[in-house]
Structures are given as C-alpha cells and as structure tokens.
Amino acid sequence: MRPKASSPYGSEAPAGSANRTFSIAGQLLAAPRAAAGLHLVATPIGNLGDITLRALETLAGVDIIACEDTRITRRLTERYAITAELKPYHEHNAAQARPRILERLAQGASIALVSDAGTPLISDPGFKLVREVCAAGHQVIAVPGPSSVLTALSVAALPTDRFFFEGFLPAKEHARRTRLAELARIDATLVMFESGNRVQDSLRDLAAAMGTRDAAICRELTKVHEDIQRAPLAELAARAGGLETRGEFVLVVGPPADNAGVMAEDALDDLLRAQLAGGSVKDAVAHAVELSGRPRREVYARALELAKDLVKDLRGDDGQD
C-alpha cells in the first residue's frame, strides 16, 4: 500500500496523475502533461459549459489542482472526467500551503490554481502565491477564460472604453458611503461585487452618491436564474425592496455625465458625517473639498453645522446648558 504523504502537497506522485484524460460529450480525450509551473486557470462563473478546451487540457494535464473549495471544483472535474488530484488553497490555509506548493514546483511539478468561479486572483486568493512563485523563478502560465467582471460589462449596455473594478464595497455604512463618494469622482464605468444581504443597502447608497447615472444589476450571471436589470440608479434603488437577494451580484454603474462634477448635497453630508465620525473638522473639510467639487467655504460651513449636530447627539441633549 502506498504510504500517505505527510502534507497535502507532499512529494509523492498524486493518485491518478498518470491518467491524463478528459471527456467531452462522451468522447475520452488524451491531454499532454502540462508544463512545469503554476497554471492560473479560469473556470466557469455559473454554466459549466463555458469551460475552454485549453482549460480542460490543462486541468487534466497537471499533477495537482489547487482550489478554494474542493467540493465546488470537483463538480467541474467530475463533469469532464478529470482525475487530477484536488488540494485546498484558500485564505485560511494559504500560509501553510504556499511553501508546499513552492516545494513541489521546485521538484518540477505542474500545478493549476483555480478559484471557485471565474479568473483566479480577481477578488480571490492567489496574489501572494503568484508573487512568491515568480520570485522563486518558476513559470506562471495564464489560461484565460470566464470572468464575471467582463461578463457584466458586456451585458450592462454601458460604456466599456474605460472601467474601474472596485471589488466588494465596504460592509459598514459609513465606510461604504465614504468610498462611494470617492468612486463618484472616477470618470469611468464602475464595476462592483456585492452580496445578497447587502445589495439593497448598497443600491440606496449608490443612488445617493450617483443617482443620475445609468446602471445595471447583474444577478446569477450565466446561471439558470440569471437576471439583469438596467435603469438609472435612482430607479433601481427605489425598487430595491422587491429585489430577489439570493445569488451573486455584479453592479455596473455608468460614468458621470459631462456636467456632473459637483457632488449632491445629500452625498456631501454623508461624506462629511463619515469623516467627522473619525477625525477632525479640518481633515473632513480637506477630504470633502477634494472629492465634492464644491467651494471650501461652503464645505467648511456645512461641516461646522454637522459637527455641532454630532456633539448634540453624543451629549443626548439639544446643546443647551
């Protein structure tokens, strides 16, 4: 009996590594052994039929597939009869797994890195691994394919000549509103990920910061229950209460209009409140002037009013002795 390795990325040959094949529509196809190095393989974001032929050959040809969740990746490998060994690599075990992966690469192994869905490293673990693999002099090979960012951009019916990918917005309200005030100044289409339990609040905050812009809510892209809603942000926020929140969301917001250089009063107040909650009036004003496009005198006067209100709230009275 073959002894078990002491590590998930030990030096023994993975079971099934000699059987480098995959299946498409019942046809069993041979895959060449993948070149030594780390292969960054994009996998489907929903529909398993979106895998590329090169990705299948790579996954079948590597010695190990490092993945966030072996249960999720196994659905893909079983669909295409790929027998390469699956090993976990995620944010909780990365510090321990990286040295083992580097050790195997030094021995000439071929390893694929995949995320649960889409392109590795895009709001997923992998950056530190790729950096260390490059520093060690090993080859890093990209196997491009599905990406929810580009998929959402392609169906949102919004300008795509320039776009800014934000990833996930901050979970806390003040931090989220402050960040949205900063994003509002970017002259490009914005792409954001959001979870179902926060998407309604984020839509309302987006509308407060950029309500005149056109936008799209992309839910469950490429899946059976895919849903895409396109409308001005204010309209999307108004009907957010009836939004189906199950699933994964990508929010796409069009660029500001040519005459949209001045921040709305409500958005300015939200920005100032968030800054005043954790800093001085001077710092809050400096930050807001830079982002709002409004005169310093106006911003300063408003900051003083809001600061007084904040003091009253903290004292629990109307400010009188």
Side-chain angles (χ1 to χ4, degrees):
M1 179 180 294
R2 177 192 296 171
K4 292 185 178 180
S6 60
S7 159
Y9 294 93
S11 59
E12 70 164 303
S17 61
N19 186 26
R20 304 182 191 279
T21 58
F22 61 98
S23 176
I24 298 179
Q27 296 293 316
L28 192 65
L29 304 174
R33 186 185 188 282
L38 182 67
H39 300 254
L40 309 178
V41 183
T43 55
I45 60 175
N47 190 322
L48 294 183
D50 290 337
I51 191 78
T52 68
L53 178 59
R54 184 183 171 204
L56 290 174
E57 287 183 337
T58 301
L59 294 177
V62 296
D63 299 316
I64 295 171
I65 301 174
C67 46
E68 282 187 87
D69 189 327
T70 57
R71 296 166 299 180
I72 292 176
T73 301
R74 186 168 287 111
R75 298 172 194 163
L76 178 67
T77 56
E78 288 182 348
R79 162 79 175 265
Y80 293 101
I82 293 171
T83 59
E85 191 169 18
L86 305 182
K87 294 297 182 183
Y89 183 85
H90 47 72
E91 60 180 337
H92 303 297
N93 79 336
Q96 293 75 36
R98 273 196 303 273
R100 301 299 184 182
I101 292 177
L102 288 165
E103 180 183 349
R104 291 303 311 274
L105 291 173
Q107 296 167 358
S110 56
I111 298 177
L113 176 69
V114 302
S115 63
D116 285 346
T119 302
L121 279 71
I122 308 301
S123 282
D124 283 315
F127 161 68
K128 291 181 180 179
L129 173 62
V130 171
R131 181 176 59 186
E132 293 188 22
V133 169
C134 290
H138 303 303
Q139 190 174 17
V140 175
I141 307 106
V143 183
S147 165
S148 58
V149 176
L150 298 181
T151 302
L153 277 168
S154 67
V155 299
L158 294 168
T160 58
D161 51 329
R162 296 181 65 197
F163 66 89
F164 181 90
F165 174 57
E166 171 67 6
F168 283 94
L169 291 168
K172 295 185 178 180
E173 183 180 271
H174 283 311
R176 182 170 60 243
R177 290 181 176 180
T178 299
R179 182 57 183 157
L180 287 175
E182 295 169 345
L183 292 174
R185 303 286 290 173
I186 298 176
D187 186 16
T189 293
L190 308 175
V191 185
M192 293 153 280
F193 290 162
E194 194 50 279
S195 62
N197 62 332
R198 292 199 303 264
V199 67
Q200 294 169 324
D201 291 335
S202 290
L203 283 169
R204 296 184 184 103
D205 289 341
L206 275 163
M210 320 174 199
T212 59
R213 301 195 200 180
D214 289 330
I217 304 171
C218 304
R219 185 179 74 87
E220 293 291 85
L221 285 168
T222 78
K223 299 179 183 178
V224 174
H225 300 292
E226 176 181 283
D227 179 42
I228 300 167
Q229 299 184 36
R230 307 174 184 87
L233 267 172
E235 182 179 333
L236 292 174
R239 59 183 194 231
L243 185 68
E244 170 58 72
T245 58
R246 288 176 296 180
E248 299 175 339
F249 290 82
V250 184
L251 307 179
V252 187
V253 180
D258 293 338
N259 61 352
V262 177
M263 183 181 292
E265 290 184 3
D266 289 347
L268 174 62
D269 284 357
D270 287 338
L271 175 60
L272 285 170
R273 288 191 185 98
Q275 293 297 310
L276 289 168
S280 67
V281 170
K282 179 181 178 181
D283 290 341
V285 169
H287 189 66
V289 168
E290 180 182 354
L291 295 177
S292 69
R294 289 179 173 271
R296 181 179 181 82
R297 179 179 297 180
E298 176 188 343
V299 174
Y300 183 71
R302 187 59 184 150
L304 288 178
E305 293 178 13
L306 293 174
K308 290 178 182 178
D309 291 342
L310 181 61
V311 170
K312 292 177 183 178
D313 290 342
L314 291 173
R315 290 173 54 183
D317 60 24
D318 61 3
Q320 297 178 353
D321 294 331

